[in-house]
Amino acid sequence: MSLNVGPLEPVTEDDILVVYGYHQARLYPEFPKDRVFSINGLAFMRGIQPRRAFHTGLGQSWQADRMRQELRHLEIVHGTEVRHVDELRTYDEAGSERAAL
């Protein structure tokens, strides 16, 4: 069994992308610009209740730590599914989702 890269489940308007820097958003054109947040844009996330939140590598800064706390809050309070963005496109040959490690 080998892993391939391709779309897993379509991105909807209820999904968000959290990036270290906005330059990373160009790699994920399936997310509308108003649904992409950087680690410094925590204030813009207030009040949203996404179904899924994808994130890139956020780093080790205090801003990244605060964003991880916010993602955890969304997960606990609103039931948001928090995933690394690599999981968006990874599937096995049979087309089923790769199990999270």
Side-chain angles (χ1 to χ4, degrees):
M1 172 181 3
S2 65
L3 294 177
N4 301 304
V5 176
L8 230 188
E9 185 178 323
V11 173
T12 67
E13 65 272 354
D14 293 331
D15 299 335
I16 64 169
L17 175 64
V18 177
V19 295
Y20 179 77
Y22 283 114
H23 64 282
Q24 293 176 318
R26 288 181 283 155
L27 301 172
Y28 308 98
E30 56 267 61
F31 288 93
K33 289 185 180 202
D34 65 335
R35 302 300 284 178
V36 176
F37 302 93
S38 80
I39 61 170
N40 295 316
L42 186 62
F44 298 114
M45 288 181 58
R46 300 289 180 201
I48 65 168
Q49 297 178 13
R51 184 174 66 90
R52 294 183 303 176
F54 292 94
H55 64 86
T56 61
L58 299 177
Q60 299 296 318
S61 66
W62 68 268
Q63 294 98 330
D65 187 48
R66 181 65 187 105
M67 180 57 78
R68 279 191 280 281
Q69 290 174 12
E70 183 64 23
L71 290 173
R72 183 71 178 140
H73 172 78
L74 289 173
E75 193 173 36
I76 292 169
V77 175
H78 302 294
T80 300
E81 196 178 319
V82 178
R83 296 276 181 89
H84 192 278
V85 77
D86 287 347
E87 294 180 53
L88 181 64
R89 296 189 178 130
T90 306
Y91 63 96
D92 65 26
E93 285 179 344
S96 62
E97 183 176 345
R98 180 180 69 137
L101 301 176

